[in-house]
Amino acid sequence: MRIKQWITSKLSILLAGLFVLMAGNAFAADTKHLIIGISPGPYGDLFKQAIAPSLEKKGYSIEIKEFSDYVQPNLALSNKSIDANLFQHPIYLAKFSADKGLKLSPLISVPTAGVGIYSKKFKSLAEIKDGASITIPNDPTNLARALRYLQAVGLIKIKAELDATKASERDIAENPKKLKFHPIEAAQIPRTVESVDIAVATGNYAISSGIYPSAIDREIIPENYINVIAVRSDDIEAQFAKDIKEIVESEAFATIINDPARIFKDFQKPAWLKAKTN
């Protein structure tokens, strides 16, 4: 009889422990607190204004974490310090993930502020003088993007045999105006507008610094440079990822993006959104 009681007691303890463990796992799986990583500029506002309210209606609480560079948001996403990020285009995401051995994936593309040329000395591209100094991003993908853009507006030519998505300043084949290039960290470029002749700044940093409306020219963004919301590859089918994607594809999101009172109205829409609204 004592053996039966001992077995029954041990079994009860084991079942109770299993119940607690299962309950804990269920709670963890059902957590609805999302931490979203962004870089300085408009994408935190885009998430807070056009996505977060709808997520909150679905029962999520949202925390925005701002990063000061283009490196930490992906590292934080990989190590699970954040759940998603919004700051980069898919080319940068793919290269960074490959270089660092990270398993990150694009979830959906969103309206994006393009690279622009800024100057306190010139009011148009035609006014740019020979020997002008120019700052451009120094990270490989945005450096190549800036050079492709400068080629598109006729200021330089890149080596014909080269993959333009991998170009650096060493790959400039023709520089008729003898522009003097100064690659620096993308976040610092808006601060150089006062000290150089022209600056090629990414949209998010141009907006956060207040120079965005003054661009003398702005790129037509290639589709593979439209920003994406990124998640861990293992989470691409997670419920929170599905909910974010559903919201970005919703009419509520489109209404906010097209609001004439918000800066997002000037952003270039991804192809999927253009097709939906046409």
Side-chain angles (χ1 to χ4, degrees):
M1 193 66 157
R2 288 180 181 177
I3 293 175
K4 275 188 174 183
Q5 289 175 336
W6 183 86
I7 292 173
T8 301
S9 174
K10 291 297 182 183
L11 186 58
S12 298
I13 293 171
L14 179 62
L15 289 173
L18 183 61
F19 174 79
V20 170
L21 180 62
M22 290 176 64
N25 286 341
F27 176 77
D30 196 40
T31 183
K32 287 207 166 187
H33 179 70
L34 297 179
I35 305 175
I36 310 299
I38 56 98
S39 61
Y43 301 111
D45 290 336
L46 187 150
F47 204 98
K48 285 185 281 189
Q49 296 176 30
I51 302 174
S54 294
L55 281 172
E56 288 167 352
K57 287 179 182 178
K58 289 178 177 288
Y60 293 93
S61 63
I62 307 300
E63 179 181 345
I64 301 294
K65 184 174 178 61
E66 186 173 290
F67 295 88
S68 61
D69 61 33
Y70 284 166
V71 174
Q72 296 306 314
N74 281 335
L75 297 180
L77 181 57
S78 179
N79 68 27
K80 301 185 179 182
S81 297
I82 62 176
D83 301 293
N85 66 40
L86 171 54
F87 77 97
Q88 66 195 320
H89 48 68
I91 288 181
Y92 182 86
L93 173 62
K95 186 176 190 313
F96 190 96
S97 297
D99 289 348
K100 303 292 185 182
L102 309 182
K103 294 181 179 180
L104 308 179
S105 297
L107 178 63
I108 189 169
S109 53
V110 299
T112 302
V115 166
I117 296 177
Y118 298 85
S119 177
K120 291 288 187 180
K121 298 182 180 180
F122 310 122
K123 294 182 180 179
S124 70
L125 297 179
E127 291 182 9
I128 297 174
K129 299 186 184 304
D130 290 358
S133 57
I134 176 172
T135 48
I136 53 178
N138 65 2
D139 62 279
T141 53
N142 282 309
L143 170 57
R145 176 184 184 181
L147 294 176
R148 287 182 63 193
Y149 169 40
L150 292 172
Q151 178 172 256
V153 298
L155 288 174
I156 62 169
K157 283 189 178 179
I158 301 169
K159 294 174 183 175
E161 70 277 9
L162 185 77
D163 180 351
T165 64
K166 299 177 181 178
S168 74
E169 69 272 24
R170 295 183 299 275
D171 300 309
I172 298 171
E174 295 182 29
N175 182 9
K177 287 185 176 289
K178 297 180 175 58
L179 300 176
K180 298 174 181 176
F181 288 90
H182 302 282
I184 65 171
E185 187 180 344
Q188 304 304 318
I189 288 178
R191 300 178 185 176
T192 69
V193 173
E194 299 286 347
S195 58
V196 299
D197 297 313
I198 52 179
V200 181
T202 56
N204 61 322
Y205 288 121
I207 289 172
S208 65
S209 66
I211 67 170
Y212 185 75
S214 65
I216 63 174
D217 191 81
R218 194 170 290 122
E219 73 174 333
I220 297 174
I221 311 172
E223 189 65 20
N224 56 358
Y225 283 101
I226 296 283
N227 280 0
V228 294
I229 296 172
V231 296
R232 288 178 291 278
S233 300
D234 288 345
D235 285 340
I236 200 75
E237 294 296 328
Q239 188 59 50
F240 81 86
K242 291 179 180 179
D243 287 339
I244 289 173
K245 189 172 185 291
E246 177 187 292
I247 288 165
V248 173
E249 293 172 338
S250 71
E251 289 302 320
F253 179 85
T255 298
I256 292 172
I257 291 300
N258 293 321
D259 184 347
R262 304 177 198 253
I263 197 167
F264 316 129
K265 71 182 186 304
D266 296 323
F267 290 10
Q268 185 174 317
K269 295 180 176 65
W272 71 263
L273 186 53
K274 287 181 184 177
K276 183 177 179 179
T277 55
N278 289 342

